[in-house]
Amino acid sequence: MADDVKIFISWSGDLSREITKVLRLWLPKMFDRVQPWMSDIDVAAGSRALKDIEDQLNGSDFGIIVVTTENQDKPWLNFEAGALSKRFDNSLSLVVPVLVNFNDFFEIGGPIRQFQGVMLQKQNEPYKEGVRKLLQSISAVASTDWSAVEARFEWSWEEFVADVEAAKSRVEQQPEPPKFDKDDALREILYRMDRMERVQAVPSSSASRTADDDDDYARAQSLINRDRKLVHHALQKSGINHTKIRIVLIDDKEVAIVSVLTLPEKSAAAQAASRVRAATGMGLRFQLADKNDISNLVTL
């Protein structure tokens, strides 16, 4: 029997702690093989808490960071985010910030912004698609049947919303979200659209790069590597052998181009495309290994 997927949930502050408690109890209802962990509950009294947290970080398969308007700049939250990022750099696991009391992802800043987060709420209303995306990410790592998880999700959604509202009622009023800066948002959108080309264009020698260039390069490369690994995992689950995975922009949308020696059966390709879309939101196309330009792409 496969081991349980260990989920490390990072929190800081009253609201973050209460939401983390909700997630810790709710996620096992969505999946048969998950072990959520949060320090407030699971660190035994009198134990060496920091050592326990370090052990849990090192043994986790997935990371959730519960971000609020109160805690987004807290050193401890950003420390755990950085530790999770290093832990998962070379694995299929993910780090997903869950945003509480924000109206848009662009309202957060700092190191946490490097991750692809989800919104728990928008305009103080429950955001179902954000929570669905979180479950899809966990499902991809746990290799579970998404249709079964989705059925549980739909069945328990109202209960989850009620639990979140109860958690919010137990804490004092939170700070308002930071003022939304349209210029910053535009720069972020342009950055995401351009990150593939910039990574390929940056020379291998670091002599001509500034510190900011290196930060941009590392951030972009980390995101690309993570997406490649998720695509690789989806292909493996669908029984598709491949030689290379490239991620490119086609019509302003990210597409995973998979090089194969022989084109897969349509049923396997459709299954893989569904898994890639659920895990990354990207499209999937195939290319024979001896072809190089995207005019030879095949959509099955």
Side-chain angles (χ1 to χ4, degrees):
M1 179 179 295
D3 293 335
D4 288 353
V5 173
K6 296 180 180 179
I7 302 175
F8 185 98
I9 310 180
S10 178
W11 64 273
S12 177
D14 293 339
L15 178 58
S16 182
R17 180 188 64 240
E18 295 303 314
I19 297 297
T20 297
K21 290 179 180 179
V22 172
L23 289 171
R24 183 182 182 276
L25 293 175
W26 184 67
L27 288 174
K29 299 177 183 178
M30 300 298 100
F31 302 92
D32 293 328
R33 298 187 303 101
V34 297
Q35 288 186 18
W37 188 90
M38 65 173 293
S39 60
D40 186 58
I41 292 175
D42 292 328
V43 175
S47 68
R48 296 175 58 189
L50 291 179
K51 180 63 167 58
D52 289 345
I53 290 173
E54 181 182 1
D55 290 343
Q56 291 294 331
L57 274 168
N58 292 333
S60 294
D61 306 299
F62 192 92
I64 295 174
I65 309 169
V66 180
V67 187
T68 68
T69 53
E70 174 192 21
N71 74 10
Q72 66 168 321
D73 296 320
K74 297 294 184 181
W76 182 250
L77 195 76
N78 284 286
F79 165 78
E80 290 188 340
L84 286 167
S85 178
K86 292 179 180 178
R87 162 75 178 104
F88 298 147
D89 185 50
N90 293 312
S91 75
L92 292 171
S93 304
L94 299 175
V95 181
V96 178
V98 174
L99 275 59
V100 187
N101 279 356
F102 291 88
N103 297 317
D104 196 284
F105 188 77
F106 293 109
E107 291 173 343
I108 71 169
I112 293 175
R113 193 168 177 175
Q114 70 182 290
F115 306 109
Q116 293 187 2
V118 300
M119 304 288 294
L120 186 67
Q121 297 168 304
K122 277 191 174 182
Q123 305 296 333
N124 293 320
E125 294 295 328
Y127 186 49
K128 194 172 185 178
E129 291 310 306
V131 182
R132 187 193 307 276
K133 184 177 179 183
L134 171 65
L135 295 184
Q136 287 174 330
S137 297
I138 298 173
S139 181
V141 173
S143 299
T144 56
D145 179 4
W146 168 243
S147 62
V149 177
E150 187 172 33
R152 297 184 186 186
F153 170 57
E154 294 291 345
W155 174 76
S156 66
W157 171 247
E158 295 300 328
E159 177 188 355
F160 177 74
V161 170
D163 289 343
V164 169
E165 291 303 314
K168 293 177 67 177
S169 71
R170 292 193 290 268
V171 301
E172 297 180 356
Q173 186 173 358
Q174 298 289 296
E176 291 295 319
K179 184 179 178 181
F180 183 77
D181 190 318
K182 292 182 178 179
D183 290 337
D184 282 347
L186 179 59
R187 282 192 291 270
E188 181 72 11
I189 291 170
L190 292 174
Y191 172 83
R192 288 180 180 273
M193 291 177 62
D194 192 49
R195 66 184 171 92
M196 307 302 171
E197 286 82 357
R198 287 194 289 104
V199 167
Q200 295 174 357
V202 171
S204 58
S205 171
S206 61
S208 61
R209 297 208 303 262
T210 66
D212 288 341
D213 289 334
D214 286 337
D215 288 343
D216 281 348
Y217 177 85
R219 180 185 177 194
Q221 189 65 65
S222 176
L223 290 171
I224 292 170
N225 287 341
R226 186 200 64 183
D227 288 343
R228 282 200 189 109
K229 289 164 187 171
L230 285 171
V231 173
H232 171 79
H233 184 63
L235 294 168
Q236 279 190 323
K237 294 293 293 181
S238 301
I240 297 176
N241 295 321
H242 58 283
T243 61
K244 183 171 64 174
I245 297 171
R246 289 185 295 150
I247 299 174
V248 301
L249 291 173
I250 299 178
D251 296 329
D252 293 336
K253 294 181 180 179
E254 289 184 336
V255 175
I257 300 176
V258 177
S259 296
V260 292
L261 296 177
T262 58
L263 294 176
E265 295 292 332
K266 288 188 177 181
S267 59
Q271 187 181 64
S274 177
R275 285 176 168 146
V276 168
R277 190 176 301 109
T280 68
M282 292 190 299
L284 178 65
R285 300 193 187 181
F286 295 92
Q287 183 179 53
L288 292 174
D290 60 344
K291 307 294 184 182
N292 290 315
D293 64 90
I294 62 173
S295 64
N296 293 295
L297 295 183
V298 177
T299 303
L300 297 176

